[in-house]
Amino acid sequence: MARRTLLRVLLEERGCHGYAVFDAEFGRAAAAAARDLGRPGLAAVTASQATWKRWLSGEQVPRADTAKVLEHWLGAEVAALLRPVADAQDGPRPRTGAEVVRDTARALDDAFGGSSLRLSDAPSGLEGLWHLTGRHRFDGAQLPVQIYEADEHAGLVIIGAADQPHIRHFIRPTRRALILAESRGSAYALDAAYAKRGLVTGGDMLTIPSAYRVDQLTYALLWAMTNLDDSLQADDAVLHAEQQRLGPFLDQRRSAMAREAMPELTNVGAAWLGMHVCARHITRQLAGTSAPPLFWTPLPSAEDAAAWLFFACWPEYLRDIQDGAGAAPSERALYVPEGVLRDAAPHERVLLWLVVALMELHGLEVRVYADPGFARTDAFVLVPDDKVIVTNWMAEHGIWHVDTSDAPADVRACAALLDRARADAVTRGASPEERLRSLADHLDVDWEWLTRRCGELAAFGAGGLLRPRSRLVDIESLDAVLAFAGKLGGPERPDGTPAEDGTTLKRPWAEVAPNAPEASG
């Protein structure tokens, strides 16, 4: 008789004792995989009764699309699914009950757009695979997750000694992974690599700062950084090779590269290369200019905005721009189509706000403009009464397009567009705080909650929450803007009412609370 495999165990736990139930559940799983992975063709994948029997007996290995559906559904790779259960029972098990784990996973999926945390009752404990899907630039990322019950004390969330053997077992593989601690109805996140350090210095317990509570701010950062980092890791060798061939393009006054020329790059990798070329073009063209440059920057989505926050090359580029512009501040008109602002999920709006705050931190006076009539206008830098530097690294079918024009008509047209952006901006104010507060209002983001949470996270730094693996990603800019934003908040809300705890703020900004009642207000 064939030994019981993990596949059989997981299917039985889901009630799939016969083919009819399996067929129905597999169909739902295929639809979910198609949606979460951005592959519509998966919705049509099926498995016959004969195939189902051969999978359970170990006579046939799921392949191609059927394997993808099974892995997404059950949260384990095919090789692990077909392994006899007895072969994987050596590891320690966590003490957290399955009900707590499932409630926490369900709360995360309900709270955040693009979140799908699939649980797998592996012999070593109920683990999860957190799918962080994208809609535009992001290709989607997967993050192994383990959930533990914890206690809170003096601003720390503590996972006790009883779970230490399992934590060590979970974080041992060389991979990106996340520990989630559940306490009093909230979830708190810690990067597995950081947990290794914590176990060395923390004795018989693992502590997580309460600032790492999973809410719309921390989820936005996890979602964006994981997608960017995974894609750039995958593209590392290709990007290095392409960089070596950029020389002839970097010296040209005008150049462009079609997306089809580098099909092996991920969407994020193409964006990184395009941004690199555009930044070099701008700094070269600004050399020797005396007037402060004025910027027009389209942001088609929050996923494009994330590059400004996490790409390691951007702080250096900003410093080069500031050196070229002198002491006088520069202006940036940030074009975000009204449809993008209207349709963005709460965590995407938080990300957009952080990017604007980062630009304000670096001395750029930012005006956000939303008129859909300028959707096709490329990014440009205007040197008043001198020239226009055109750059675009966000086009759907191009990696980059750069150009420079000193034609008076072009200079006047761009100056007129920027004048209109100043007049019709959705953000108002004479100071960074006033402009950022007006942007928060326009995005319908709670100002008091956001600035308070930025300050809490800045006190510990974001490194324990998310640790970049790619050399092309860092959190230098993120930590800086969190500290900057955390100093903006006052003791009162914009309407003058006293600030309250995060659980009583507007529901989209409350932390995940799987076991708590709905927040009011």
Side-chain angles (χ1 to χ4, degrees):
M1 181 177 176
R3 298 173 67 186
R4 283 167 57 82
T5 62
L6 179 59
L7 174 63
R8 180 183 288 274
V9 170
L10 295 179
L11 290 178
E12 288 177 353
E13 289 180 349
R14 287 159 174 77
C16 299
H17 298 281
Y19 175 73
V21 177
F22 167 82
D23 186 43
E25 292 297 323
F26 188 85
R28 281 189 279 271
R35 180 189 66 247
D36 295 342
L37 302 180
R39 294 180 52 183
L42 292 178
V45 174
T46 61
S48 67
Q49 185 170 7
T51 298
W52 169 67
K53 289 181 177 179
R54 287 194 292 269
W55 287 350
L56 293 181
S57 66
E59 298 174 14
Q60 182 176 330
V61 177
R63 300 186 185 281
D65 288 347
T66 55
K68 185 66 67 176
V69 171
L70 282 175
E71 290 175 342
H72 181 268
W73 178 23
L74 302 177
E77 296 181 353
V78 165
L81 290 173
L82 297 185
R83 188 179 303 137
V85 172
D87 291 350
Q89 287 181 330
D90 298 331
R93 293 184 64 87
R95 62 183 177 86
T96 304
E99 183 176 354
V100 172
V101 174
R102 291 193 174 98
D103 284 348
T104 303
R106 190 179 303 113
L108 292 169
D109 287 350
D110 290 344
F112 307 117
S115 167
S116 177
L117 207 171
R118 302 285 172 167
L119 298 175
S120 169
D121 195 3
S124 60
L126 194 65
E127 296 182 8
L129 195 62
W130 203 356
H131 297 267
L132 306 173
T133 59
R135 296 191 292 173
H136 304 285
R137 178 75 63 179
F138 294 167
D139 295 318
Q142 298 178 353
L143 191 60
V145 169
Q146 181 68 59
I147 300 171
Y148 300 93
E149 287 185 280
D151 298 312
E152 290 185 65
H153 179 70
L156 295 175
V157 181
I158 303 169
I159 303 176
D163 279 318
Q164 300 312 300
H166 187 270
I167 291 176
R168 295 180 187 278
H169 176 79
F170 174 71
I171 66 177
R172 182 178 179 182
T174 304
R175 61 177 181 177
R176 180 197 305 284
L178 196 68
I179 289 174
L180 288 178
E182 190 281 334
S183 178
R184 301 180 185 176
S186 293
Y188 302 82
L190 189 71
D191 188 284
Y194 201 83
K196 293 180 180 179
R197 180 189 304 176
L199 289 176
V200 171
T201 60
D204 61 352
M205 63 182 67
L206 180 65
T207 60
I208 302 175
S210 60
Y212 290 175
R213 182 173 63 250
V214 180
D215 55 10
Q216 299 293 351
L217 172 62
T218 48
Y219 177 77
L221 302 178
L222 286 166
W223 170 74
M225 201 282 286
T226 303
N227 271 281
L228 294 172
D229 198 52
D230 283 3
S231 292
L232 290 176
Q233 272 194 297
D235 285 341
D236 189 76
V238 178
L239 284 173
H240 179 72
E242 294 298 342
Q243 271 189 281
Q244 309 312 306
R245 293 192 280 266
L246 286 179
F249 297 102
L250 297 178
D251 295 330
Q252 295 179 18
R253 186 180 177 90
R254 176 187 300 117
S255 70
M257 182 66 65
R259 183 69 176 89
E260 293 80 4
M262 300 179 187
E264 66 275 26
L265 285 178
T266 64
N267 289 329
V268 171
W272 185 92
L273 191 64
M275 189 184 202
H276 174 74
V277 173
C278 290
R280 292 287 297 273
H281 181 74
I282 291 172
T283 53
R284 188 166 61 88
Q285 292 297 322
L286 286 178
T289 61
S290 56
L294 309 175
F295 297 82
W296 170 269
T297 305
L299 281 182
S301 72
E303 295 171 25
D304 293 291
W308 299 88
L309 203 58
F310 289 104
F311 279 3
C313 61
W314 201 68
E316 179 182 356
Y317 159 67
L318 258 185
R319 287 189 286 268
D320 290 343
I321 293 295
Q322 290 174 326
D323 290 343
S330 300
E331 293 183 28
R332 185 180 294 270
L334 202 63
Y335 173 64
V336 186
E338 186 60 42
V340 172
L341 295 176
R342 182 184 63 249
D343 299 337
H347 67 276
E348 293 176 310
R349 284 180 266 144
V350 169
L351 203 62
L352 286 167
W353 187 90
L354 284 173
V355 171
V356 176
L358 177 64
M359 294 176 181
E360 290 278 1
L361 168 63
H362 284 277
L364 293 168
E365 185 177 318
V366 182
R367 307 287 181 177
V368 178
Y369 187 60
D371 190 326
F374 293 93
R376 296 185 179 276
T377 303
D378 279 345
F380 65 80
V381 181
L382 174 66
V383 181
D385 301 320
D386 186 0
K387 60 185 173 182
V388 177
I389 306 165
V390 177
T391 60
N392 189 354
W393 53 273
M394 297 184 188
E396 182 180 356
H397 302 295
I399 297 179
W400 76 77
H401 168 226
V402 298
D403 200 352
T404 305
S405 173
D406 53 11
D410 292 337
V411 173
R412 287 195 298 270
C414 290
L417 190 153
L418 289 171
D419 286 341
R420 179 173 174 181
R422 291 189 197 99
D424 298 339
V426 300
T427 53
R428 304 285 180 176
S431 68
E433 179 173 351
E434 291 174 345
R435 290 188 293 272
L436 289 169
R437 188 186 287 270
S438 71
L439 177 60
D441 288 343
H442 188 77
L443 293 171
D444 195 27
V445 177
D446 190 295
W447 170 263
E448 170 64 27
W449 169 85
L450 181 56
T451 53
R452 174 175 59 82
R453 285 292 289 125
C454 286
E456 290 171 355
L457 198 53
F460 290 90
L465 178 70
L466 61 168
R467 177 191 176 199
R469 270 66 171 175
S470 170
R471 61 189 175 87
L472 304 177
V473 173
D474 70 24
I475 56 174
E476 172 189 344
S477 295
L478 172 61
D479 280 336
V481 76
L482 289 172
F484 171 70
K487 296 175 182 178
L488 296 176
E492 293 186 342
R493 296 174 184 264
D495 62 3
T497 59
E500 300 175 353
D501 182 73
T503 55
T504 58
L505 296 175
K506 293 185 287 186
R507 180 58 190 167
W509 314 113
E511 62 266 25
V512 176
N515 301 317
E518 284 287 309
S520 60

